[in-house]
Coordinates of all heavy atoms in Angstrom, one line a residue:
M1 N -13.0 -3.8 3.0 CA -13.6 -2.3 2.8 C -13.1 -2.0 1.4 O -11.9 -2.2 1.0 CB -13.0 -1.4 3.7 CG -13.4 0.0 3.4 SD -12.9 1.2 4.7 CE -12.3 2.5 3.7
D2 N -14.0 -1.6 0.6 CA -13.7 -1.1 -0.8 C -13.0 0.3 -0.6 O -13.7 1.3 -0.1 CB -15.0 -0.9 -1.7 CG -14.7 -0.4 -3.0 OD1 -13.6 0.0 -3.4 OD2 -15.7 -0.1 -3.7
H3 N -11.8 0.5 -1.0 CA -11.1 1.7 -0.7 C -11.8 3.0 -1.4 O -11.5 4.1 -1.0 CB -9.7 1.6 -1.0 CG -9.3 1.4 -2.5 ND1 -9.2 0.2 -3.1 CD2 -8.9 2.4 -3.4 CE1 -8.9 0.4 -4.3 NE2 -8.8 1.7 -4.5
K4 N -12.6 2.7 -2.4 CA -13.4 3.7 -3.0 C -14.6 4.2 -2.2 O -15.1 5.3 -2.4 CB -14.0 3.4 -4.4 CG -12.8 3.0 -5.4 CD -13.2 2.6 -6.7 CE -12.2 2.2 -7.6 NZ -12.6 1.5 -8.8
A5 N -15.1 3.4 -1.2 CA -16.2 3.6 -0.4 C -15.9 4.9 0.5 O -16.9 5.8 0.7 CB -16.6 2.6 0.3
N6 N -14.9 4.9 1.1 CA -14.6 6.0 2.0 C -13.2 6.3 2.0 O -12.4 6.0 2.9 CB -15.0 5.5 3.6 CG -14.9 6.7 4.7 OD1 -14.4 7.6 4.3 ND2 -15.5 6.3 5.8
K7 N -12.9 7.3 1.2 CA -11.5 7.7 0.8 C -10.9 8.5 2.0 O -9.7 8.2 2.4 CB -11.4 8.7 -0.3 CG -11.6 7.8 -1.6 CD -11.2 8.6 -2.8 CE -11.3 7.8 -4.1 NZ -10.8 8.4 -5.2
K8 N -11.7 9.2 2.8 CA -11.1 10.0 4.0 C -10.6 9.1 5.0 O -9.6 9.1 5.6 CB -12.1 11.0 4.5 CG -11.6 11.7 5.7 CD -12.3 12.8 6.2 CE -11.7 13.6 7.3 NZ -10.6 13.4 7.9
A9 N -11.4 8.0 5.3 CA -11.0 7.1 6.2 C -9.8 6.3 5.7 O -8.8 6.0 6.6 CB -12.2 6.1 6.6
L10 N -9.8 5.9 4.5 CA -8.7 5.2 4.0 C -7.4 6.2 4.1 O -6.3 5.7 4.5 CB -8.9 4.8 2.5 CG -7.7 4.3 1.7 CD1 -7.3 2.9 2.3 CD2 -8.0 4.2 0.2
Y11 N -7.4 7.4 3.7 CA -6.2 8.3 3.6 C -5.8 8.5 5.1 O -4.6 8.5 5.4 CB -6.6 9.7 2.9 CG -7.0 9.5 1.5 CD1 -7.6 10.5 0.8 CD2 -6.6 8.3 0.8 CE1 -7.8 10.4 -0.5 CE2 -6.8 8.1 -0.7 CZ -7.5 9.3 -1.2 OH -7.7 9.2 -2.6
D12 N -6.7 8.8 6.0 CA -6.4 8.9 7.4 C -5.7 7.7 8.0 O -4.6 7.8 8.7 CB -7.7 9.3 8.4 CG -8.3 10.6 8.0 OD1 -7.5 11.4 7.2 OD2 -9.5 10.9 8.5
A13 N -6.1 6.5 7.7 CA -5.5 5.3 8.2 C -4.1 5.2 7.5 O -3.0 4.9 8.3 CB -6.3 4.1 7.9
A14 N -4.0 5.4 6.3 CA -2.7 5.3 5.6 C -1.7 6.3 6.0 O -0.5 6.0 6.2 CB -2.9 5.5 4.0
D15 N -2.2 7.4 6.4 CA -1.4 8.4 6.9 C -0.7 8.1 8.2 O 0.4 8.4 8.6 CB -2.0 9.9 7.0 CG -2.2 10.6 5.8 OD1 -1.5 10.2 4.8 OD2 -3.1 11.5 5.7
Q16 N -1.5 7.3 9.1 CA -1.0 6.9 10.3 C 0.1 5.8 10.1 O 1.2 5.8 10.9 CB -2.1 6.2 11.2 CG -3.1 7.3 11.7 CD -4.3 6.5 12.4 OE1 -4.1 5.7 13.3 NE2 -5.5 7.0 12.1
F17 N 0.1 4.9 9.2 CA 1.0 4.0 8.9 C 2.2 4.7 8.3 O 3.4 4.4 8.7 CB 0.5 2.9 7.8 CG -0.4 2.0 8.4 CD1 -1.9 1.9 8.0 CD2 0.0 1.1 9.4 CE1 -2.5 1.0 8.5 CE2 -0.8 0.2 9.9 CZ -2.2 0.0 9.5
I18 N 2.0 5.7 7.5 CA 3.2 6.4 6.9 C 4.0 7.2 8.0 O 5.2 7.2 7.9 CB 2.7 7.3 5.7 CG1 2.2 6.5 4.6 CG2 3.8 8.3 5.4 CD1 1.4 7.2 3.5
A19 N 3.2 7.8 8.9 CA 3.9 8.5 10.0 C 4.7 7.6 10.8 O 5.8 8.0 11.1 CB 2.9 9.2 10.9
M20 N 4.3 6.4 11.1 CA 5.0 5.3 11.9 C 6.3 5.0 11.1 O 7.4 4.9 11.5 CB 4.2 4.1 12.2 CG 4.9 3.2 13.0 SD 3.9 1.7 13.4 CE 2.6 2.5 14.3
A21 N 6.1 4.7 9.7 CA 7.2 4.3 8.8 C 8.3 5.6 8.8 O 9.5 5.2 8.9 CB 6.8 4.1 7.4
N22 N 7.7 6.8 8.7 CA 8.7 7.8 8.7 C 9.5 7.9 10.1 O 10.6 8.3 10.0 CB 8.0 9.3 8.5 CG 7.5 9.3 7.0 OD1 8.1 8.8 6.1 ND2 6.5 10.2 6.8
A23 N 8.8 7.8 11.2 CA 9.6 7.8 12.4 C 10.5 6.6 12.4 O 11.7 6.8 12.9 CB 8.5 7.6 13.5
I24 N 10.3 5.4 12.0 CA 11.2 4.4 11.8 C 12.4 4.7 11.0 O 13.6 4.5 11.3 CB 10.6 3.0 11.4 CG1 9.6 2.6 12.5 CG2 11.6 2.0 11.1 CD1 8.7 1.4 12.0
A25 N 12.1 5.4 9.9 CA 13.1 5.7 8.8 C 14.0 6.7 9.4 O 15.1 6.8 9.0 CB 12.4 6.2 7.5
Q26 N 13.6 7.6 10.3 CA 14.4 8.7 10.9 C 15.5 7.9 11.7 O 16.7 8.5 11.9 CB 13.8 9.6 11.7 CG 12.8 10.6 10.9 CD 12.1 11.6 11.8 OE1 12.2 11.4 12.9 NE2 11.5 12.4 11.1
Q27 N 15.2 6.8 12.3 CA 16.3 6.0 13.3 C 17.1 5.1 12.5 O 18.1 4.7 12.8 CB 15.5 5.4 14.3 CG 14.6 6.2 15.3 CD 15.4 7.2 15.9 OE1 16.5 6.8 16.4 NE2 15.1 8.4 16.0
D28 N 16.6 4.5 11.1 CA 17.1 3.4 10.4 C 17.1 3.8 9.1 O 15.8 3.7 8.4 CB 16.5 2.1 10.7 CG 17.2 0.9 10.1 OD1 17.8 1.2 9.0 OD2 17.2 -0.1 10.7
T29 N 18.1 4.1 8.3 CA 18.0 4.6 7.0 C 18.1 3.5 5.9 O 18.5 3.6 4.8 CB 19.0 5.8 6.5 OG1 20.3 5.3 6.9 CG2 18.6 7.1 7.4
S30 N 18.3 2.2 6.5 CA 18.6 1.1 5.6 C 17.5 0.5 4.8 O 17.7 -0.3 3.9 CB 19.1 -0.2 6.6 OG 17.9 -0.7 7.2
G31 N 16.4 1.2 4.9 CA 15.2 0.7 4.2 C 14.3 -0.2 5.0 O 13.3 -0.8 4.4
L32 N 14.7 -0.4 6.1 CA 13.8 -1.2 7.1 C 12.3 -0.8 7.1 O 11.5 -1.6 7.1 CB 14.4 -1.1 8.5 CG 13.6 -1.9 9.6 CD1 13.6 -3.4 9.4 CD2 14.2 -1.5 11.0
A33 N 12.1 0.5 7.2 CA 10.7 1.0 7.3 C 9.8 0.5 6.0 O 8.7 0.0 6.3 CB 10.7 2.5 7.4
G34 N 10.4 0.6 5.0 CA 9.6 0.3 3.7 C 9.5 -1.3 3.7 O 8.3 -1.7 3.4
T35 N 10.5 -2.0 4.0 CA 10.4 -3.5 4.0 C 9.4 -3.9 5.0 O 8.6 -4.8 4.9 CB 11.6 -4.0 4.3 OG1 12.6 -3.6 3.2 CG2 11.7 -5.6 4.2
A36 N 9.5 -3.3 6.2 CA 8.5 -3.6 7.3 C 7.0 -3.4 7.1 O 6.1 -4.1 7.3 CB 9.0 -3.0 8.7
I37 N 6.8 -2.2 6.3 CA 5.4 -1.9 6.0 C 4.8 -2.9 5.0 O 3.7 -3.3 5.0 CB 5.2 -0.4 5.6 CG1 3.8 0.0 6.0 CG2 5.7 0.0 4.2 CD1 3.6 1.5 5.9
R38 N 5.7 -3.2 4.0 CA 5.3 -4.2 3.0 C 5.0 -5.6 3.7 O 4.1 -6.2 3.5 CB 6.3 -4.3 1.9 CG 6.2 -3.2 1.0 CD 7.1 -3.2 -0.3 NE 8.6 -3.6 0.0 CZ 9.4 -2.5 0.2 NH1 9.0 -1.2 0.2 NH2 10.6 -2.8 0.4
Y39 N 5.9 -6.0 4.6 CA 5.7 -7.2 5.3 C 4.5 -7.2 6.1 O 3.7 -8.1 6.0 CB 6.9 -7.4 6.3 CG 6.8 -8.7 7.0 CD1 7.2 -10.0 6.5 CD2 6.4 -8.8 8.3 CE1 7.1 -11.2 7.1 CE2 6.2 -10.0 9.1 CZ 6.7 -11.1 8.4 OH 6.5 -12.2 9.1
A40 N 4.2 -6.0 6.8 CA 3.0 -6.0 7.6 C 1.8 -6.0 6.7 O 0.7 -6.6 7.0 CB 3.0 -4.7 8.5
A41 N 1.9 -5.3 5.5 CA 0.8 -5.4 4.5 C 0.4 -6.8 4.1 O -0.6 -7.2 4.1 CB 1.0 -4.4 3.4
A42 N 1.5 -7.5 3.8 CA 1.3 -8.8 3.4 C 0.8 -9.9 4.5 O -0.1 -10.6 4.2 CB 2.6 -9.5 2.8
R43 N 1.3 -9.6 5.7 CA 0.9 -10.4 6.7 C -0.7 -10.2 7.1 O -1.4 -11.0 7.2 CB 1.8 -10.2 8.0 CG 1.5 -11.0 9.1 CD 2.6 -10.7 10.1 NE 2.2 -11.2 11.5 CZ 2.9 -11.1 12.6 NH1 4.1 -10.5 12.4 NH2 2.5 -11.5 13.6
Y44 N -1.0 -8.9 7.1 CA -2.4 -8.6 7.5 C -3.3 -9.0 6.2 O -4.5 -9.5 6.4 CB -2.6 -7.0 7.7 CG -3.9 -6.8 8.2 CD1 -4.1 -6.9 9.6 CD2 -4.9 -6.6 7.5 CE1 -5.4 -6.8 10.1 CE2 -6.3 -6.2 7.9 CZ -6.4 -6.5 9.3 OH -7.8 -6.3 9.8
S45 N -2.7 -8.9 4.9 CA -3.6 -9.2 3.7 C -3.9 -10.8 3.9 O -4.9 -11.2 3.5 CB -2.9 -8.8 2.5 OG -2.9 -7.5 2.4
A46 N -2.8 -11.5 4.3 CA -3.1 -13.0 4.5 C -4.2 -13.3 5.5 O -5.2 -14.1 5.2 CB -1.8 -13.7 4.9
F47 N -4.3 -12.6 6.6 CA -5.2 -12.6 7.4 C -6.7 -12.3 6.9 O -7.6 -12.9 6.9 CB -5.0 -11.7 8.8 CG -6.2 -11.6 9.7 CD1 -6.6 -12.5 10.6 CD2 -6.7 -10.2 9.8 CE1 -7.7 -12.3 11.3 CE2 -7.8 -10.1 10.6 CZ -8.4 -11.1 11.3
E48 N -6.6 -11.1 6.2 CA -7.7 -10.6 5.7 C -8.4 -11.8 4.6 O -9.6 -11.9 4.6 CB -7.5 -9.3 5.0 CG -8.7 -8.6 4.3 CD -8.6 -7.3 3.8 OE1 -7.4 -6.8 3.5 OE2 -9.5 -6.6 3.5
A49 N -7.4 -12.3 3.7 CA -7.8 -13.2 2.8 C -8.5 -14.4 3.5 O -9.6 -15.0 3.1 CB -6.6 -13.7 1.9
S50 N -7.9 -14.8 4.7 CA -8.5 -15.9 5.5 C -10.0 -15.8 5.9 O -10.7 -16.6 6.0 CB -7.6 -16.3 6.7 OG -7.7 -15.3 7.7
R51 N -10.3 -14.5 6.2 CA -11.5 -14.0 6.6 C -12.6 -14.0 5.3 O -13.7 -14.1 5.5 CB -11.6 -12.7 7.2 CG -10.7 -12.5 8.4 CD -11.2 -13.1 9.7 NE -12.4 -12.7 10.2 CZ -12.9 -11.8 11.0 NH1 -11.9 -11.2 11.5 NH2 -14.0 -11.5 11.2
M52 N -12.0 -13.8 4.1 CA -12.8 -13.7 3.0 C -13.0 -15.0 2.3 O -14.0 -15.1 1.3 CB -12.1 -12.9 2.0 CG -11.9 -11.4 2.4 SD -10.9 -10.4 1.4 CE -11.6 -10.4 -0.2
S53 N -12.4 -16.0 2.7 CA -12.4 -17.4 1.9 C -12.9 -18.5 2.9 O -12.4 -18.5 4.0 CB -11.1 -17.6 1.4 OG -11.0 -19.0 1.0
S54 N -13.7 -19.4 2.5 CA -14.2 -20.5 3.2 C -13.0 -21.6 3.1 O -13.0 -22.5 3.9 CB -15.5 -21.0 2.9 OG -15.4 -21.4 1.6
D55 N -12.2 -21.5 2.1 CA -11.1 -22.5 2.0 C -9.9 -21.8 1.4 O -9.8 -21.7 0.1 CB -11.6 -23.7 1.1 CG -10.5 -24.7 1.2 OD1 -9.3 -24.5 1.3 OD2 -11.0 -26.0 0.9
L56 N -9.0 -21.3 2.2 CA -8.0 -20.5 1.7 C -7.0 -21.3 0.9 O -6.4 -20.7 -0.1 CB -7.2 -19.8 2.9 CG -6.2 -18.6 2.6 CD1 -6.8 -17.7 1.8 CD2 -5.6 -18.2 3.8
A57 N -6.8 -22.5 1.1 CA -5.9 -23.3 0.2 C -6.5 -23.4 -1.1 O -5.6 -23.3 -2.1 CB -5.7 -24.8 0.9
I58 N -7.7 -23.5 -1.4 CA -8.3 -23.5 -2.7 C -8.3 -22.0 -3.3 O -7.9 -21.9 -4.5 CB -9.6 -24.0 -2.6 CG1 -9.7 -25.5 -2.4 CG2 -10.3 -23.8 -4.0 CD1 -11.0 -26.2 -2.2
D59 N -8.6 -21.1 -2.4 CA -8.6 -19.7 -3.0 C -7.3 -18.9 -3.0 O -7.3 -17.8 -3.2 CB -9.6 -19.0 -2.2 CG -11.0 -19.5 -2.4 OD1 -11.4 -20.0 -3.5 OD2 -11.9 -19.3 -1.5
K60 N -6.1 -19.6 -2.6 CA -4.9 -18.9 -2.3 C -4.5 -18.0 -3.7 O -4.3 -16.8 -3.6 CB -3.8 -20.0 -2.1 CG -2.4 -19.3 -1.9 CD -1.4 -20.3 -1.6 CE 0.0 -19.7 -1.6 NZ 1.0 -20.7 -1.3
V61 N -4.5 -18.7 -4.8 CA -4.1 -17.9 -5.9 C -5.0 -16.7 -6.2 O -4.6 -15.7 -6.6 CB -3.9 -18.9 -7.2 CG1 -3.7 -18.1 -8.4 CG2 -2.7 -19.7 -6.8
K62 N -6.4 -17.1 -6.1 CA -7.3 -15.9 -6.3 C -7.1 -14.9 -5.4 O -7.1 -13.6 -5.8 CB -8.8 -16.5 -6.2 CG -9.8 -15.6 -6.5 CD -11.2 -16.2 -6.3 CE -11.7 -16.2 -4.9 NZ -13.0 -16.6 -4.8
M63 N -6.9 -15.1 -4.2 CA -6.6 -14.0 -3.2 C -5.3 -13.3 -3.7 O -5.2 -12.1 -3.5 CB -6.4 -14.6 -1.7 CG -7.7 -15.1 -1.1 SD -9.0 -13.8 -1.1 CE -10.5 -14.6 -1.4
Q64 N -4.2 -14.1 -3.9 CA -3.1 -13.4 -4.3 C -3.2 -12.4 -5.5 O -2.8 -11.4 -5.5 CB -2.0 -14.4 -4.7 CG -1.5 -15.2 -3.6 CD -0.4 -16.3 -4.1 OE1 -0.7 -17.0 -4.9 NE2 0.6 -16.5 -3.2
E65 N -4.1 -12.9 -6.4 CA -4.3 -11.9 -7.6 C -5.1 -10.9 -7.1 O -4.8 -9.6 -7.8 CB -5.0 -12.9 -8.6 CG -4.1 -13.8 -9.4 CD -4.8 -14.9 -10.3 OE1 -6.1 -14.8 -10.3 OE2 -4.1 -15.7 -11.0
L66 N -6.1 -11.0 -6.3 CA -6.9 -9.9 -6.0 C -6.1 -8.7 -5.3 O -6.2 -7.6 -5.5 CB -8.0 -10.4 -5.1 CG -9.0 -9.4 -4.2 CD1 -9.9 -8.8 -5.4 CD2 -9.6 -10.0 -3.1
F67 N -5.3 -9.3 -4.3 CA -4.6 -8.3 -3.4 C -3.4 -7.6 -4.3 O -3.1 -6.4 -4.1 CB -4.0 -8.8 -2.1 CG -5.0 -9.1 -1.0 CD1 -5.8 -10.2 -1.1 CD2 -5.3 -8.0 -0.2 CE1 -6.7 -10.4 -0.1 CE2 -6.3 -8.3 0.6 CZ -7.0 -9.4 0.8
T68 N -2.7 -8.4 -5.1 CA -1.7 -7.9 -6.0 C -2.2 -6.9 -7.1 O -1.6 -5.9 -7.2 CB -1.0 -9.1 -6.6 OG1 -0.5 -9.9 -5.7 CG2 0.1 -8.7 -7.6
K69 N -3.4 -7.2 -7.6 CA -4.0 -6.3 -8.6 C -4.3 -4.9 -7.8 O -4.0 -3.8 -8.4 CB -5.3 -7.0 -9.1 CG -5.9 -6.1 -10.1 CD -7.2 -6.7 -10.7 CE -8.0 -5.9 -11.6 NZ -9.2 -6.4 -12.0
D70 N -4.9 -5.0 -6.7 CA -5.3 -3.8 -5.9 C -3.8 -2.9 -5.6 O -3.8 -1.8 -5.8 CB -5.9 -4.3 -4.6 CG -6.8 -3.1 -4.0 OD1 -7.2 -2.3 -4.7 OD2 -6.9 -3.1 -2.8
F71 N -2.9 -3.7 -5.1 CA -1.6 -3.0 -4.8 C -1.0 -2.4 -6.1 O -0.4 -1.2 -5.9 CB -0.6 -4.0 -4.1 CG 0.8 -3.4 -3.9 CD1 0.8 -2.6 -2.7 CD2 1.8 -3.4 -4.7 CE1 2.1 -2.1 -2.4 CE2 3.0 -2.9 -4.4 CZ 3.1 -2.2 -3.2
Y72 N -1.1 -3.2 -7.2 CA -0.5 -2.6 -8.4 C -1.1 -1.3 -8.8 O -0.5 -0.4 -9.3 CB -0.7 -3.7 -9.5 CG -0.1 -3.1 -10.9 CD1 1.3 -3.4 -11.1 CD2 -0.9 -2.5 -11.8 CE1 1.8 -3.0 -12.3 CE2 -0.2 -2.0 -12.9 CZ 1.0 -2.2 -13.2 OH 1.6 -1.8 -14.3
K73 N -2.5 -1.3 -8.7 CA -3.2 0.0 -9.0 C -2.8 1.1 -8.1 O -2.6 2.2 -8.7 CB -4.8 -0.3 -9.0 CG -5.3 -1.1 -10.1 CD -6.7 -1.0 -10.2 CE -7.3 -1.6 -9.0 NZ -8.9 -2.0 -9.2
M74 N -2.7 0.8 -7.0 CA -2.3 2.0 -5.9 C -0.8 2.4 -6.2 O -0.6 3.6 -6.2 CB -2.4 1.4 -4.4 CG -3.9 1.2 -4.0 SD -3.8 0.4 -2.3 CE -5.3 -0.5 -2.2
M75 N 0.0 1.4 -6.4 CA 1.5 1.8 -6.6 C 1.5 2.6 -7.9 O 2.3 3.5 -8.0 CB 2.2 0.5 -6.7 CG 3.8 0.5 -6.9 SD 4.4 1.3 -5.3 CE 6.2 1.3 -5.7
D76 N 0.8 2.1 -9.0 CA 0.9 2.7 -10.3 C 0.5 4.2 -10.0 O 1.1 5.2 -10.7 CB 0.0 2.0 -11.3 CG 0.1 2.6 -12.7 OD1 1.2 2.7 -13.2 OD2 -0.8 3.1 -13.3
E77 N -0.6 4.4 -9.4 CA -1.1 5.9 -9.1 C 0.0 6.7 -8.3 O 0.2 7.8 -8.7 CB -2.5 5.8 -8.3 CG -2.8 7.2 -7.8 CD -4.0 7.0 -6.8 OE1 -4.7 5.9 -6.7 OE2 -4.1 8.1 -6.2
H78 N 0.5 6.2 -7.4 CA 1.5 6.9 -6.7 C 2.9 7.0 -7.2 O 3.5 8.2 -7.2 CB 1.6 6.3 -5.1 CG 0.4 6.5 -4.4 ND1 0.1 7.7 -3.8 CD2 -0.5 5.6 -4.1 CE1 -1.0 7.5 -3.2 NE2 -1.5 6.3 -3.3
L79 N 3.2 6.3 -8.1 CA 4.5 6.3 -8.9 C 4.2 7.5 -9.9 O 5.1 8.4 -10.1 CB 4.9 5.1 -9.6 CG 5.6 4.0 -8.8 CD1 5.7 2.7 -9.6 CD2 6.8 4.5 -8.2
D80 N 3.1 7.6 -10.5 CA 2.8 8.7 -11.4 C 2.8 10.1 -10.6 O 3.2 11.0 -11.2 CB 1.3 8.5 -12.2 CG 1.4 7.5 -13.1 OD1 2.5 7.1 -13.6 OD2 0.2 7.0 -13.5
V81 N 2.2 10.1 -9.3 CA 2.3 11.3 -8.6 C 3.8 11.8 -8.4 O 4.1 12.9 -8.6 CB 1.5 11.1 -7.3 CG1 1.8 12.2 -6.2 CG2 0.1 11.0 -7.5
Y82 N 4.6 10.8 -8.2 CA 6.0 11.1 -7.7 C 6.8 11.6 -9.1 O 7.6 12.4 -9.0 CB 6.7 10.0 -7.0 CG 6.5 10.2 -5.5 CD1 5.5 9.6 -4.8 CD2 7.5 10.9 -4.9 CE1 5.4 9.8 -3.5 CE2 7.4 10.9 -3.5 CZ 6.3 10.4 -2.8 OH 6.1 10.7 -1.5
I83 N 6.4 11.0 -10.2 CA 7.0 11.3 -11.4 C 6.6 12.8 -11.7 O 7.6 13.5 -12.1 CB 6.5 10.2 -12.5 CG1 7.2 9.1 -12.3 CG2 6.9 10.9 -13.9 CD1 6.6 7.8 -13.3
D84 N 5.4 13.0 -11.6 CA 5.0 14.6 -11.8 C 5.8 15.5 -10.8 O 5.9 16.5 -11.3 CB 3.4 14.6 -11.7 CG 2.7 13.8 -12.8 OD1 3.4 13.6 -13.9 OD2 1.4 13.7 -12.6
H85 N 5.8 15.0 -9.6 CA 6.4 15.8 -8.6 C 7.8 16.1 -8.9 O 8.3 17.2 -8.8 CB 6.3 15.2 -7.1 CG 6.8 15.9 -6.1 ND1 6.5 17.0 -5.5 CD2 8.0 15.5 -5.4 CE1 7.3 17.5 -4.6 NE2 8.2 16.6 -4.5
L86 N 8.6 15.0 -9.4 CA 9.9 15.2 -9.6 C 10.2 16.1 -10.7 O 11.2 16.8 -10.9 CB 10.6 13.8 -9.7 CG 10.7 13.0 -8.5 CD1 11.2 11.6 -8.8 CD2 11.6 13.6 -7.4
A87 N 9.2 15.9 -11.8 CA 9.4 16.7 -12.9 C 9.2 18.3 -12.7 O 9.8 19.1 -13.2 CB 8.4 16.3 -14.1
T88 N 8.2 18.4 -11.8 CA 8.0 19.8 -11.3 C 9.2 20.4 -10.7 O 9.6 21.6 -10.9 CB 6.7 20.0 -10.4 OG1 5.7 19.5 -11.1 CG2 6.4 21.2 -9.8
L89 N 9.8 19.5 -9.8 CA 11.0 20.1 -9.1 C 12.1 20.4 -10.1 O 12.8 21.4 -10.0 CB 11.4 19.0 -8.1 CG 10.7 18.8 -6.9 CD1 11.2 17.7 -6.1 CD2 10.6 20.1 -6.0
Q90 N 12.3 19.5 -11.2 CA 13.2 19.7 -12.1 C 13.0 21.0 -12.9 O 13.9 21.9 -13.3 CB 13.5 18.6 -13.0 CG 14.1 17.5 -12.5 CD 15.6 17.7 -12.3 OE1 16.0 18.9 -12.2 NE2 16.3 16.6 -12.3
N91 N 11.7 21.2 -13.2 CA 11.4 22.4 -13.9 C 11.5 23.7 -13.1 O 11.9 24.8 -13.7 CB 9.9 22.4 -14.5 CG 9.7 21.4 -15.5 OD1 10.6 21.0 -16.4 ND2 8.4 20.8 -15.7
D92 N 11.4 23.6 -11.9 CA 11.5 24.8 -10.9 C 13.0 25.1 -10.8 O 13.3 26.3 -10.7 CB 11.0 24.5 -9.6 CG 9.4 24.5 -9.7 OD1 8.8 24.8 -10.7 OD2 8.8 24.0 -8.6
K93 N 13.8 24.1 -10.9 CA 15.4 24.4 -11.0 C 15.8 25.0 -12.2 O 16.8 25.8 -12.2 CB 16.1 23.0 -10.7 CG 16.1 22.6 -9.3 CD 16.8 21.2 -9.3 CE 16.7 20.6 -7.9 NZ 17.4 19.4 -7.8
G94 N 15.2 24.6 -13.3 CA 15.9 25.1 -14.5 C 15.3 25.8 -15.5 O 15.9 26.5 -16.3

């Protein structure tokens, strides 16, 4: 699914994963939740890549690049959001 096609469905699904990670993080503050969600994303992405390719061994690097590029864009966007949020908090304090 192209994440631009249906943002509401994407955000709703992501919120469900985040809620689960938050619940795990309340019980374990070691970073397990973040690592587990990245592991699950990698594992599911490998499955998804296998469905997108007729020969995953040949397409492995192409799939890694595709998924990594997508993750990078999402991470970049959310880091910028947090940078702005933290700057706002600092400005409100001082």
Side-chain angles (χ1 to χ4, degrees):
M1 173 178 135
D2 180 2
H3 67 271
K4 294 177 186 171
N6 190 342
K7 284 189 175 186
K8 180 170 179 5
L10 172 68
Y11 295 162
D12 289 348
D15 286 345
Q16 291 177 44
F17 288 112
I18 292 166
M20 185 180 299
N22 286 338
I24 292 168
Q26 287 180 357
Q27 301 299 316
D28 183 327
T29 60
S30 71
L32 174 69
T35 302
I37 204 165
R38 286 189 300 277
Y39 179 83
R43 188 169 159 183
Y44 193 84
S45 294
F47 165 73
E48 188 177 10
S50 76
R51 306 277 316 256
M52 296 168 61
S53 172
S54 61
D55 191 334
L56 189 56
I58 290 173
D59 293 333
K60 178 181 175 181
V61 172
K62 181 175 92 174
M63 292 294 150
Q64 287 172 324
E65 290 171 353
L66 175 75
F67 285 91
T68 301
K69 182 180 175 184
D70 201 33
F71 180 81
Y72 180 89
K73 287 191 295 190
M74 291 179 210
M75 185 70 177
D76 189 55
E77 174 187 344
H78 291 287
L79 285 171
D80 286 342
V81 168
Y82 271 86
I83 289 167
D84 291 345
H85 175 70
L86 294 172
T88 300
L89 290 177
Q90 285 289 23
N91 289 336
D92 290 347
K93 286 182 182 178

